[in-house]
Amino acid sequence: MDPDDRDDEIDDIDDEAGHRNTEVTIEVTGLSLFTHHGVTAAEREVGQRLVLDLRLEVGECDATVTDLVEDTVDYAEVCNVVALVAQQRSYKTLERLCTAVADRLLERFDAEEVWVKAAKPEPPIPLPVEQVSVEVWRQSGDAEEG
């Protein structure tokens, strides 16, 4: 065995018992919701479709061994939580919406990090644009109080 290969193998071992460290990422892509967010009163009143992409870094996850849904983050529940946050009130900026979603995901699920992207496929601007989007990344412990 090549010594460099052995170093790579050793780096994959996480604890003294020789168990491998498996980091898990949960992703949801293209969650489409009708919402009432925007700078103008018309955007907030009429509403529009937003498309959200989400990534939750959950670290080690028992489901990699147990194969049980209750041992991981249920992505259907993630979608329900995001829909509730995105539809329960109106924000002027996508930055604030993404932060509210990220904070709720960190609060509700045992994630180490959360990434949220919100895109407006038909932005209300006078030039031809396919979409506009904002991304927010938060770590556990970053969530705002209150």
Side-chain angles (χ1 to χ4, degrees):
M1 174 182 268
D2 181 49
D4 290 334
D5 291 340
R6 174 124 175 86
D7 287 342
D8 290 341
E9 190 174 313
I10 291 171
D11 288 342
D12 288 340
I13 305 297
D14 184 48
D15 61 19
E16 293 101 29
H19 297 108
R20 291 190 179 266
N21 181 13
T22 303
E23 299 289 319
V24 174
T25 300
I26 307 293
E27 290 192 48
V28 175
T29 304
L31 175 60
S32 182
L33 301 171
F34 191 82
T35 66
H36 294 271
H37 305 289
V39 173
T40 68
E43 275 187 287
R44 292 190 305 277
E45 185 176 322
V46 173
Q48 63 195 299
R49 184 172 66 95
L50 289 184
V51 179
L52 292 105
D53 296 333
L54 316 158
R55 187 168 50 243
L56 291 84
E57 300 290 342
V58 297
E60 291 187 42
C61 176
D62 290 343
T64 61
V65 176
T66 67
D67 196 30
L68 298 173
V69 174
E70 53 271 10
D71 288 338
T72 189
V73 172
D74 181 345
Y75 48 79
E77 184 60 24
V78 168
C79 291
N80 288 334
V81 168
V82 172
L84 179 66
V85 172
Q87 295 172 330
Q88 72 184 2
R89 66 169 289 187
S90 179
Y91 296 105
K92 291 181 181 175
T93 66
L94 291 179
E95 288 84 350
R96 182 65 195 118
L97 169 65
C98 289
T99 300
V101 168
D103 287 348
R104 184 71 60 87
L105 291 174
L106 285 170
E107 173 187 300
R108 173 69 174 76
F109 302 99
D110 191 24
E112 296 171 357
E113 301 173 1
V114 174
W115 171 83
V116 178
K117 176 182 176 184
K120 287 185 181 184
E122 298 94 24
I125 59 176
L127 296 170
V129 174
E130 185 175 313
Q131 76 175 17
V132 296
S133 65
V134 169
E135 299 178 21
V136 168
W137 172 77
R138 305 278 276 175
Q139 288 183 297
S140 182
D142 286 350
E144 296 175 2
E145 297 295 321

